[in-house]
Amino acid sequence: MVTTVTSLGRSGLHDWVLQRLSAVIMLAYVVYLGYFFATTPEITFAAWQGLFASTFMKVFSFLTLLSVVMHAWIGLWIVSTDYMPKVSIRVAFQAIVIVICLSLLVWGIQILWSL
């Protein structure tokens, strides 16, 4: 039996709900960006910078970034616990995924809040 020490949620149901919630947030972000592209007559650097300069878009982008990282971690954790029976390989894989997810999160925060 696999322990849930590295799981994000408390149970499989909790992880499932978190993953579905993160998917809804990512979908809302894509729909919002699609709306922006559809309603903006000319996409220029100034328009793009104006969009991301607003606090709403920074917070929305940050929530989406958190959702992507959380969604990826839960999905890859499930894959690793299901298909990597050897503990040493699974721990190494999960450590690499954690480093990548945290790196993307830090990098994304730097990008978002430097505008």
Side-chain angles (χ1 to χ4, degrees), residues 20-66:
R20 294 319 175 265
L21 178 64
S22 66
V24 169
I25 292 170
M26 290 185 287
L27 176 64
Y29 191 78
V30 168
V31 168
Y32 185 76
L33 282 180
Y35 172 77
F36 173 77
F37 284 124
T39 59
T40 304
E42 187 177 346
I43 305 295
T44 62
F45 178 74
W48 192 250
Q49 190 175 30
L51 172 68
F52 281 94
S54 69
T55 304
F56 167 76
M57 194 60 182
K58 286 182 180 184
V59 171
F60 195 19
S61 296
F62 177 68
L63 285 175
T64 304
L65 179 63
L66 281 176

Side-chain angles (χ1 to χ4, degrees), residues 36-112:
F36 173 77
F37 284 124
T39 59
T40 304
E42 187 177 346
I43 305 295
T44 62
F45 178 74
W48 192 250
Q49 190 175 30
L51 172 68
F52 281 94
S54 69
T55 304
F56 167 76
M57 194 60 182
K58 286 182 180 184
V59 171
F60 195 19
S61 296
F62 177 68
L63 285 175
T64 304
L65 179 63
L66 281 176
S67 295
V68 168
V69 169
M70 180 175 53
H71 196 93
W73 170 249
I74 292 171
L76 290 172
W77 180 83
I78 290 170
V79 167
S80 69
T81 56
D82 286 349
Y83 297 108
M84 296 179 182
K86 200 167 188 184
V87 176
S88 59
I89 294 172
R90 183 172 60 236
V91 169
F93 175 78
Q94 289 177 354
I96 290 168
V97 171
I98 288 170
V99 168
I100 291 170
C101 286
L102 289 177
S103 298
L104 290 174
L105 188 62
V106 169
W107 188 31
I109 290 169
Q110 286 177 336
I111 291 169
L112 279 174

